[in-house]
Amino acid sequence: MNRKTLALPLMAGLLVPVLAACGATVGGVDKDGAIVVGTTDQFVANGDSPAPFDPAYAYDTGAWNVLRQTLQTLMHVPRGGGDPVPEAASRCAFTDNASESYRCTLRDGLQFSDGKPVTAEDVKFSIERVLEIRSDNGAAGLLANIDTIEVKSDKELVFHLSTPDATFPYKLSTPVAGIVSRDAYDGKKLREGFDVSGSGPYTLETERDGDKLVSAVFTKNPHYKGDLKVRNGKVELRSFADAHGMGSALDSGDIDVMARAMAPDQIAELSENPRKDIALTEMPGLEIRYLGFNTKDPSVKDKAVRQAMASVIDRGNIADKVYGATAEPLYSLIPSSISGHTNSFFNRYGEPSREKAAAILGEAGIDTPVKLTLNYTTDHYGPGTAAEFAALRDQLNATKLFSVTIKGAEWSKFRPAQKRGDYAVYGLGWFPDFPDPDNFIAPFLDKDNFLNSPYVSTVARDQLIPASRREADREAASASFTKLQDIVAADVPVLPLWQGKQYVAARSEVTGVEWALNSSSDLQLWELARGSA
């Protein structure tokens, strides 16, 4: 990786919507003929996470990958990337030069899965519901710039924005803007459990084991009218406890496709020893991993502690040692493959240096060793996470400037604890909602952010983020993004570690695999089929 300042063309990912329906208990789903896709994503509905598939609550890749198959949105990004195009809408466009008024017209004949028509009032209800509930999970922040929604007719509505936002069409392509039925959803509270009702290409049935989802079965919706081309009649998304269990199921033929997240050793094995019956497909990826900080916690409240960590962590060693060819070091929140990227952390801290870290701590009067616990999730990002945090612990402890322990927890416990501020230091991944540099900055620095972080940069929130969104030409926003990345490197509210590639393994008779996962890690199950392409 070139550690100098680097800017490459914007990579356009693909996000989409879909649709619908009812829940079932174990054994209650007809799977005949389904293409079976494995995932290590875990889905739990309990007191800490009561509504994992409600668009007003869901804000992680696994849940969004269910909603993308079950809720339709006004816009979507085409399969090959680029600017968003109409999905539930027949057309959408800004009606002013300031990017503050956005008008959409619905397609003719839109219906929910129960046959009831979809109207502009349903769209208004769906989005205002997200803003009314304003879950602490962070999803509402994507729509927070909406001032009012004006319904012109059954098919036409206008979004009036508080401030200019050229990224708004992308936001309307995400599941938080999914269209739901007023008959099935309460406007003021979450819909608990795993049930989903919508208007996209599939309906949904689920198998459950207690509070955990075992599998989700998507059946082609005969009422669907939209821009997506559905190449199969049924897909089952089956959840596995770990990547190697998923791999065994692929070997035995119990599943047809192995999606996120494959283990590094599985990827290496299939790369080095190709098989005739199973093909490995590498796809561009925009996943990043980072450390987050509760900047109110006494142990990391002084930014000198965070800066010292940034000075000594060896990203290249972690990427090589734990992930091999599937990851590369990252020196900014914005990946190197996104326009506007700069290597702000490398520019500020250079190569890992104990001497620099010691000087930073000494000048701030910080006693050493600094005692810290690094918290990570054991079941959300794949099997490499535990080894990654062991490597981080060992690197920091080797300096004698830190005394670090590590602690893992299941995602269903980890995420609520992180949002509450229970952890001083924690590890998270980010899969972009849409492939624009704004989505690697605003979710961490803006109001109502994904991290529920106490860190505030008024320059970032009040000046630079709004300035970047005024630029319809996204290249013209690069100056703002450079300053934003430099602020993150200086204050270290988050510490980027690496960015990853992504892979899918599938049995040879399955086609459409190259489109099944886009650069934002969105599953596009409608692309899969059996037989010749």
Side-chain angles (χ1 to χ4, degrees), residues 240-269:
F240 289 85
D242 57 67
H244 292 96
M246 180 170 61
S248 296
L250 184 68
D251 284 337
S252 67
D254 287 343
I255 66 175
D256 302 295
V257 179
M258 183 161 59
R260 58 180 309 270
M262 294 178 63
D265 64 307
Q266 292 174 316
I267 295 167
E269 173 63 25

Side-chain angles (χ1 to χ4, degrees), residues 55 126-131 134 138-147 149 159-162 165 168 170-178 448:
S126 301
I127 291 177
E128 289 185 341
R129 175 178 179 271
V130 172
L131 296 172
R134 198 168 290 277
L142 282 172
L143 304 177
N145 195 31
I146 295 174
D147 185 16
I149 303 174
F159 298 92
H160 298 286
L161 307 183
S162 301
D165 187 1
F168 190 66
Y170 278 112
K171 294 172 180 177
L172 289 184
S173 72
T174 64
V176 70
D448 300 319

Side-chain angles (χ1 to χ4, degrees), residues 83-139:
D83 294 334
V85 298
E87 208 310 70
S90 61
R91 62 181 179 273
C92 285
F94 283 107
T95 59
D96 63 336
N97 293 330
S99 300
E100 289 184 295
S101 182
Y102 196 72
R103 183 184 297 260
C104 290
T105 302
L106 299 182
R107 291 179 185 270
D108 292 332
L110 286 180
Q111 298 178 44
F112 289 110
S113 57
D114 61 4
K116 293 181 179 178
V118 177
T119 69
E121 287 288 352
D122 293 304
V123 178
K124 183 176 188 286
F125 165 81
S126 301
I127 291 177
E128 289 185 341
R129 175 178 179 271
V130 172
L131 296 172
E132 170 69 23
I133 293 173
R134 198 168 290 277
S135 162
D136 67 356
N137 221 22

Side-chain angles (χ1 to χ4, degrees), residues 179-365:
I179 305 166
V180 299
S181 168
R182 287 174 286 176
D183 294 336
Y185 289 79
D186 189 302
K188 296 184 181 298
K189 64 182 181 180
L190 295 171
R191 183 176 182 177
E192 298 186 357
F194 296 117
D195 294 344
V196 187
S197 302
S199 60
Y202 293 105
T203 59
L204 170 68
E205 293 180 278
T206 60
E207 287 189 8
R208 310 163 192 179
D209 182 4
D211 60 3
K212 292 187 176 181
L213 183 142
V214 176
S215 76
V217 177
F218 303 98
T219 302
K220 188 175 182 179
N221 172 25
H223 296 296
Y224 171 69
K225 289 182 173 63
D227 194 52
L228 305 176
K229 305 296 185 272
V230 184
R231 302 179 63 231
N232 57 67
K234 186 176 295 186
V235 181
E236 178 192 355
L237 185 65
R238 188 178 300 174
S239 182
F240 289 85
D242 57 67
H244 292 96
M246 180 170 61
S248 296
L250 184 68
D251 284 337
S252 67
D254 287 343
I255 66 175
D256 302 295
V257 179
M258 183 161 59
R260 58 180 309 270
M262 294 178 63
D265 64 307
Q266 292 174 316
I267 295 167
E269 173 63 25
L270 288 171
S271 297
E272 296 165 7
N273 301 290
R275 295 171 50 172
K276 291 184 178 180
D277 59 332
I278 295 175
L280 180 70
T281 302
E282 178 183 333
M283 304 164 182
L286 296 176
E287 172 190 7
I288 69 168
R289 297 286 179 87
Y290 59 93
L291 293 178
F293 299 93
N294 176 0
T295 55
K296 285 187 176 180
D297 190 281
S299 63
V300 294
K301 184 175 183 179
D302 193 317
K303 69 179 179 182
V305 174
R306 310 192 301 266
Q307 291 172 332
M309 293 175 69
S311 297
V312 297
I313 287 175
D314 188 338
R315 297 164 174 81
N317 176 267
I318 292 171
D320 292 341
K321 180 179 178 180
V322 179
Y323 296 102
T326 68
E328 62 180 24
L330 180 63
Y331 297 89
S332 168
L333 282 174
I334 300 175
S336 61
S337 45
I338 288 285
S339 178
H341 163 87
T342 62
N343 284 313
S344 295
F345 274 81
F346 188 82
N347 296 341
R348 185 177 185 92
Y349 301 103
E351 297 286 356
S353 170
R354 182 195 183 280
E355 290 72 23
K356 289 180 185 177
I360 291 170
L361 293 171
E363 289 173 7

